[in-house]
Amino acid sequence: MNIDSSSQFTPKYTRTIEDRAITTLQPYASNARTHSKRQLKQLGDSIKRFGFTNPVLIADDGTIL
């Protein structure tokens, strides 16, 4: 398949990275991943110590994907 470099490509979606307050996010109701309170504390402690730089994908309504 050859792609003509002169052809125009218009993406259907755009990507943006923005800071959002955690209170604006909603957990995905059907998420199969669950963590115990102990695991959540460990995760929180790790993020506080080492930081967290992975973006979170969210839908327009704030639901975490």
Side-chain angles (χ1 to χ4, degrees), residues 25-50:
L25 304 178
Q26 298 294 320
Y28 178 60
S30 298
N31 187 0
R33 294 182 179 182
T34 58
H35 297 83
S36 68
K37 288 184 181 184
R38 179 175 176 255
Q39 288 173 318
L40 290 174
K41 172 137 178 49
Q42 289 174 325
L43 287 167
D45 290 346
S46 177
I47 290 169
K48 285 177 187 173
R49 182 173 179 189
F50 301 109

Side-chain angles (χ1 to χ4, degrees), residues 2-4 6 9-12 14 18 22-23 26-27 30 32-33 35-36 42 46 49 55 59-60 63:
N2 289 334
I3 298 176
D4 181 1
S6 65
F9 173 73
T10 305
K12 186 174 180 180
T14 58
E18 60 184 58
I22 197 165
T23 56
Q26 298 294 320
S30 298
R33 294 182 179 182
H35 297 83
S36 68
Q42 289 174 325
S46 177
R49 182 173 179 189
D60 290 336
T63 302

